[in-house]
Amino acid sequence: MGEAFQIDLHKMAPLGAATTTLGKLRPEIAKQLGLSTNTMVTIGCGDEHAACLGAGITGPGLVADIVGTAEPVCAASRELIFDSSRLVETHCHADPELWLLENPGFVSGGNYRWWRDQFAEGQTYSSLDEEAAPIPPGADGLTFLPCLMGALAPTWNEAARGTFTGFTLAHTRAHFVRALLEGSAFAVRDITTQMQASSLDLRELRVVGGGAKSRLWNQIKADVTGLQVSVPEVTETTALGATFLALVGVGAYASLSEASEHIIRIRERIDPNPSTQPVYTEAYERYRQTYFALLPVFEETARRGV
């Protein structure tokens, strides 16, 4: 790559494992930070990689659902796997023994924030959840495509636009909130289904980030994906994962998986509700049919610069 882009690799920093300790802080930097000059510096990793570590995604069967403004969905594999559909990317994992398979994140919590700010100003997310909870699964036919900033599921498409379809005079604001939460869950299912098609055996969806606070949303995801949803005690797992790297770097633990097993605790486990599965199978198919039917409209709208 350096040759192709005429980059002198001697001018680049050396590569190393995420747990590699580089040395101690320089005195001038330690003074600026108010830290000891004995403070060790470890290479570290990217934010999503750290979030997966903090969620315990260091073994088979687990997938991280990182619910913030966007919603990356990630799993670990010991085998090198490439998704032929290109919905899921393949990266180095923070653990050098693993690969990280991920969709880098469709807009999710950002959609909920937009809805609240535009149509429920001053209300909390928990109050909107309470409003939406009595609405039946499938939102009585109302479907939302979570594409307010383009799509990363079910395909990557910058021309895609957010869409509500299937509503009538009988639908209420609560229906729209329910449909918004379900739309994000359908996108998660797009990704987990493709991971399973790429030979990953998934059994548990670990939800972290701000969106993990929503019990309703977590139940919807369990019902839509058919996976058990678990919520760790610590849901801000990016900082926790960075801590794991430091602990291994200074020798407190022999491996990242060992640190994960000793520190992570699951606060809540949510099983799929079998009675909702037929409803959500139908609603999920309606979501996909809507998306692919609207592709020509999206492309034409983008062509016109709208």
Side-chain angles (χ1 to χ4, degrees):
M1 287 178 67
E3 210 173 284
F5 291 97
Q6 298 180 342
I7 296 172
D8 182 357
L9 297 184
H10 295 291
K11 295 180 179 179
M12 305 292 285
L15 297 177
T19 55
T20 300
T21 298
L22 297 175
K24 297 179 180 180
L25 278 179
R26 295 175 182 172
E28 63 272 22
I29 302 300
K31 184 178 180 180
Q32 288 179 34
L33 296 175
L35 297 173
S36 165
T37 52
N38 289 324
T39 302
M40 304 300 291
V41 178
T42 301
I43 286 181
C45 64
D47 55 352
E48 288 166 25
H49 300 69
C52 288
L53 277 182
I57 310 302
T58 57
L62 306 177
V63 56
D65 182 27
I66 308 166
V67 192
T69 301
E71 190 164 350
V73 179
C74 316
S77 172
R78 292 199 173 275
E79 305 300 322
L80 180 59
I81 296 173
F82 291 104
D83 172 22
S84 59
S85 78
R86 300 187 178 184
L87 181 65
V88 178
E89 301 174 324
T90 301
H91 295 268
C92 291
H93 195 287
D95 186 329
E97 301 298 319
L98 300 171
W99 298 97
L100 185 74
L101 303 180
E102 71 156 339
N103 180 287
F106 57 94
V107 175
S108 177
N111 297 334
Y112 207 3
R113 182 176 59 205
W114 168 81
W115 173 265
R116 182 200 62 183
D117 292 348
Q118 300 303 321
F119 304 107
E121 189 175 1
Q123 283 196 238
T124 63
Y125 294 118
S126 59
S127 69
L128 290 172
D129 280 4
E130 289 176 13
E131 193 175 321
I135 301 300
D140 289 325
L142 177 55
T143 301
F144 172 65
L145 301 184
C147 308
L148 271 64
M149 291 290 289
L152 283 177
T155 67
W156 291 41
N157 183 358
E158 64 181 8
R161 297 289 183 267
T163 307
F164 284 102
T165 60
F167 57 95
T168 69
L169 292 175
H171 287 91
T172 65
R173 186 176 75 167
H175 283 89
F176 281 82
V177 176
R178 177 95 191 195
L180 188 147
L181 297 178
E182 290 178 344
S184 289
F186 295 149
V188 172
R189 178 169 169 174
D190 285 330
I191 299 162
T192 57
T193 297
Q194 194 55 42
M195 287 177 170
Q196 290 166 323
S198 299
S199 77
L200 285 182
D201 180 21
L202 305 180
R203 65 176 186 276
E204 181 183 328
L205 186 73
R206 290 196 176 173
V207 181
V208 299
K213 298 174 184 175
S214 174
R215 183 62 168 72
L216 173 63
W217 208 355
N218 292 339
Q219 184 67 63
I220 289 172
K221 287 175 180 175
D223 295 347
V224 167
T225 64
L227 300 172
Q228 183 186 69
V229 166
S230 62
V231 182
E233 285 183 356
V234 177
T235 56
E236 296 304 327
T237 55
T238 303
L240 184 61
T243 303
F244 291 176
L245 295 173
L247 288 169
V248 174
V250 299
Y253 287 96
S255 67
L256 291 167
S257 57
E258 182 186 337
S260 172
E261 289 167 9
H262 277 78
I263 295 173
I264 293 173
R265 296 291 180 269
I266 300 300
R267 184 184 76 219
E268 182 180 22
R269 295 188 186 275
I270 303 168
D271 291 319
N273 183 349
S275 68
T276 68
Q277 303 238 295
V279 177
Y280 274 130
T281 296
E282 181 182 332
Y284 176 64
E285 288 307 315
R286 184 168 62 246
Y287 148 88
R288 288 181 63 85
Q289 289 168 6
T290 301
Y291 175 83
F292 289 106
L294 287 175
L295 285 180
V297 178
F298 293 150
E299 296 297 338
E300 179 62 21
T301 301
R303 190 184 68 80
R304 294 175 179 271
V306 180

